Amino acid sequence: MEKIGFIGLGIMGNPMAAHLLAAGYQVFLYSQGGIPAELTQAGGLACANSADVASKADVIITMVPDTPHVEAVLFGENSVSSTISAGKVVVDMSSISPVATKEFAARLAKQGVQYVDAPVSGGEVGAKAASLTIMCGGEDAVFERVKPLFEKMGKNITLVGGVGAGQITKVANQIIVALNIEAVAEALLLAAKAGADPARVRQALMGGFANSRVLEVHGERMVKRTFNPGFRIELHQKDLNLALSTARAVGVSLPNTATAQELFNSCAANGGSQWDHSGMVRALEKLANFEIGQ
Amino acid sequence: MEKIGFIGLGIMGNPMAAHLLAAGYQVFLYSQGGIPAELTQAGGLACANSADVASKADVIITMVPDTPHVEAVLFGENSVSSTISAGKVVVDMSSISPVATKEFAARLAKQGVQYVDAPVSGGEVGAKAASLTIMCGGEDAVFERVKPLFEKMGKNITLVGGVGAGQITKVANQIIVALNIEAVAEALLLAAKAGADPARVRQALMGGFANSRVLEVHGERMVKRTFNPGFRIELHQKDLNLALSTARAVGVSLPNTATAQELFNSCAANGGSQWDHSGMVRALEKLANFEIGQ
């Protein structure tokens, strides 16, 4: 049985590591914010830093907030790259830059280390329920090697392509979700201000080509005015920042993603960085001087 | 059995009127473009103009291209309003301005005529198969009176609210469909230019919150490069024009609908007014100097 390292034990990493421990794996733990007591009580082995983890484990999983944190864990002080040896694997399950991901993988490859990017969707609920969607990039053989670990943490596990393809897919996912939220918000707000009942409009639209998971779930939140997360606007802002910076790096113009990000920025300016992302409708409501609930 | 009038016998109206004839209704026919021979052979009764139809029928259905055409049929020369009498009903199944719809209904109400707006989605295929989605606005009693007619032409029939609510719902539908197409186009184009296989990205996204009818149907058209209609860009341009003019009239800002319309305009400028609306991706591809199929 592979020895696992798990670096980053926050809201997501904590329950994900717990599933690996429950499955009987030996798991070496490190997190900048401290190691949760329940994980060591469950048999997890506390380490002093990322270098310590990488010297002891065969497969090192990282689950940290953003690109700079992954870079620090892999290449900073007391980092993974300072102790890792050939034949080991780094699996980054954070949601970070696809462009940086390819750089990190190339640097580790020089040490004989393989890399899989495997960002997730499903949030805290999915992490606790071991029902995460996991979008993977990497070589077939190394994917097969680490897939049993993914199966302890998630359900819908896809190898999309080579290194970086997982992060690209996650970015694509977050673009579509944000823009579908924006679409439903424009449509329901127009309908409401033009005098129709947005709840009945939503119901009528669910039978046709306008239907989507977002119309079902986030459309309902807009109508019922329930903006408790869910998925916080500040996290979706981070993801759209990845989308827009990746677009700039590879040379693509994303006009509606840019607008969606500006609407999130407006929500944040009005105290909404902790609202559910369906709260984007409130930025459009400000512009229209009208609320769907009126 | 009610006597039916049917004004506007084009690609949509022709098969819709045929279903009413097949169900045994007496149908009085008029169309500016001429009355199809198959409808008179099926027992339809040709009339000289809209006034002639309105004098003979109890329920007058209109199915014409746009707001000015409905206005001409109802209030122009030899129009419905010149001969219609109290107790009759006008059912407009065209897709037109919600604001104008309320005006038309108010003018006819002065003559004791009731009004139902009942735009459809499903296109020529749905019209021929009698499987149209019909979104209705009007009073409950008159809706119940004309509902048996709708059931001969469609399947998913919803009374959304008072007069205008059907047109508002149709506009909301077309906003969401256009913006979901734009969302899928931004996401798949970024993914492709960043080096991932857009077909595999689309497949991976279909399991999660990014899923939609548009990702399934139009996303596939983008990947397979099949831009034959389907639903023509010039028709969706007309619908987004209704959305943007309604937004201006009621005071709502629709930033992404505006951008989507500009992208359709770019498609038209490049010879694409007859492409399927999933061809919107080509405008973004121009901006990125890259095609998904490359």
Side-chain angles (χ1 to χ4, degrees):
Chain A
M1 218 172 191
E2 303 254 32
K3 286 183 268 183
I4 312 302
F6 210 112
I7 298 169
L9 301 165
I11 288 172
M12 297 294 291
N14 185 344
M16 291 164 71
H19 292 307
L20 296 175
L21 285 163
Y25 285 99
Q26 197 173 17
V27 185
F28 296 90
L29 304 167
Y30 179 69
S31 190
Q32 211 180 358
I35 296 165
E38 65 263 34
L39 293 180
T40 48
Q41 281 155 18
L45 301 156
C47 292
N49 50 46
S50 298
D52 192 17
V53 172
S55 68
K56 292 171 176 164
D58 304 312
V59 175
I60 297 99
I61 297 173
T62 53
M63 189 62 177
V64 294
D66 206 347
T67 312
H69 309 87
V70 175
E71 184 164 25
V73 163
L74 296 181
F75 306 108
E77 226 177 311
N78 296 317
S79 65
V80 167
S81 64
S82 68
T83 57
I84 200 166
S85 52
K88 295 191 174 185
V89 183
V90 166
V91 178
D92 180 32
M93 302 189 75
S94 322
S95 292
I96 70 162
S97 159
V99 177
T101 291
K102 290 182 194 177
E103 291 170 15
F104 297 163
R107 287 171 72 178
L108 289 167
K110 289 179 189 159
Q111 297 180 251
V113 172
Q114 286 186 291
Y115 193 101
V116 175
D117 51 303
V120 306
S121 71
E124 189 180 353
V125 172
K128 286 182 174 164
S131 65
L132 293 167
T133 295
I134 307 179
M135 296 155 265
C136 307
E139 299 296 321
D140 284 351
V142 63
F143 172 73
E144 291 302 327
R145 177 173 166 189
V146 298
K147 194 177 174 190
L149 305 175
F150 295 150
E151 288 167 345
K152 302 301 177 202
M153 299 182 278
K155 289 220 165 105
N156 192 353
I157 300 153
T158 314
L159 179 65
V160 180
V163 165
Q167 298 293 355
I168 291 168
T169 303
K170 176 73 190 283
V171 166
N173 186 77
Q174 296 305 84
I175 288 173
I176 292 177
V177 172
L179 297 190
N180 285 6
I181 287 173
E182 209 280 340
V184 169
E186 289 198 12
L188 294 185
L189 180 59
L190 179 67
K193 197 161 186 189
D197 176 352
R200 292 170 78 175
V201 170
R202 171 179 162 277
Q203 201 62 44
L205 296 181
M206 282 171 63
F209 261 109
N211 200 22
S212 65
R213 290 288 301 278
V214 164
L215 180 66
E216 291 168 22
V217 174
H218 301 80
E220 186 174 37
R221 290 177 191 165
M222 292 177 205
V223 169
K224 294 196 172 165
R225 316 304 289 173
T226 53
F227 297 123
N228 296 327
F231 188 77
R232 296 198 304 281
I233 280 176
E234 66 177 7
L235 292 174
H236 216 147
Q237 284 180 287
K238 181 209 123 184
D239 291 336
L240 293 193
N241 183 50
L242 286 177
L244 294 169
S245 61
T246 304
R248 185 176 177 191
V250 303
V252 172
S253 173
L254 302 180
N256 283 3
T257 301
T259 299
Q261 181 74 313
E262 297 307 322
L263 293 172
F264 278 144
N265 291 350
S266 170
C267 290
N270 286 280
S273 59
Q274 306 301 308
W275 298 340
D276 181 70
H277 50 172
S278 57
M280 189 201 277
V281 70
R282 284 183 162 167
L284 291 168
E285 289 174 341
K286 282 244 164 206
L287 293 170
N289 189 28
F290 183 85
E291 286 185 13
I292 280 180
Q294 276 176 328
Chain B
M1 216 168 191
E2 304 252 35
K3 286 184 268 183
I4 313 302
F6 210 112
I7 298 169
L9 301 164
I11 288 172
M12 297 293 293
N14 185 344
M16 291 163 72
H19 292 307
L20 296 175
L21 285 164
Y25 286 99
Q26 199 173 14
V27 185
F28 296 90
L29 304 166
Y30 179 69
S31 189
Q32 211 181 355
I35 297 165
E38 62 264 36
L39 292 180
T40 48
Q41 282 157 18
L45 300 156
C47 293
N49 50 44
S50 299
D52 193 18
V53 172
S55 68
K56 291 171 177 163
D58 305 312
V59 175
I60 297 98
I61 297 172
T62 52
M63 190 61 178
V64 294
D66 206 346
T67 311
H69 308 87
V70 175
E71 184 164 24
V73 162
L74 296 182
F75 305 107
E77 225 177 313
N78 297 316
S79 65
V80 167
S81 65
S82 68
T83 57
I84 200 166
S85 52
K88 295 191 174 186
V89 183
V90 167
V91 178
D92 179 33
M93 302 189 74
S94 322
S95 292
I96 70 162
S97 160
V99 178
T101 290
K102 291 182 193 177
E103 290 170 17
F104 298 162
R107 288 171 73 176
L108 289 168
K110 291 181 189 158
Q111 296 179 251
V113 172
Q114 288 186 288
Y115 192 101
V116 175
D117 50 303
V120 306
S121 71
E124 188 180 352
V125 172
K128 286 183 174 164
S131 65
L132 294 168
T133 294
I134 309 180
M135 296 154 268
C136 306
E139 300 294 323
D140 284 351
V142 63
F143 172 73
E144 291 303 327
R145 177 173 165 190
V146 298
K147 195 177 172 188
L149 305 175
F150 295 151
E151 289 168 345
K152 302 300 177 202
M153 298 182 278
K155 288 221 165 104
N156 192 353
I157 300 154
T158 314
L159 179 65
V160 180
V163 164
Q167 297 294 355
I168 291 168
T169 304
K170 177 72 191 284
V171 166
N173 187 77
Q174 296 305 84
I175 287 173
I176 292 177
V177 172
L179 296 191
N180 285 7
I181 288 172
E182 209 280 342
V184 170
E186 288 199 12
L188 294 185
L189 180 58
L190 178 68
K193 197 162 185 188
D197 176 351
R200 292 170 78 174
V201 170
R202 171 180 163 276
Q203 199 64 43
L205 296 181
M206 282 172 63
F209 260 108
N211 200 23
S212 65
R213 291 287 302 278
V214 164
L215 181 65
E216 290 168 22
V217 174
H218 301 81
E220 185 174 38
R221 290 178 190 164
M222 292 177 204
V223 169
K224 293 196 172 164
R225 316 303 289 172
T226 52
F227 297 121
N228 297 326
F231 188 77
R232 296 198 303 282
I233 279 176
E234 65 178 6
L235 293 174
H236 216 147
Q237 285 180 287
K238 182 208 122 183
D239 291 337
L240 293 193
N241 183 50
L242 286 177
L244 294 168
S245 60
T246 303
R248 187 177 176 190
V250 303
V252 171
S253 173
L254 302 180
N256 283 4
T257 301
T259 300
Q261 181 74 311
E262 297 307 321
L263 293 171
F264 278 144
N265 291 350
S266 171
C267 289
N270 285 281
S273 59
Q274 307 300 309
W275 297 341
D276 181 71
H277 50 173
S278 58
M280 188 200 280
V281 69
R282 284 182 164 167
L284 291 168
E285 289 174 342
K286 282 242 165 207
L287 292 171
N289 189 28
F290 183 85
E291 286 184 14
I292 280 180
Q294 276 177 326

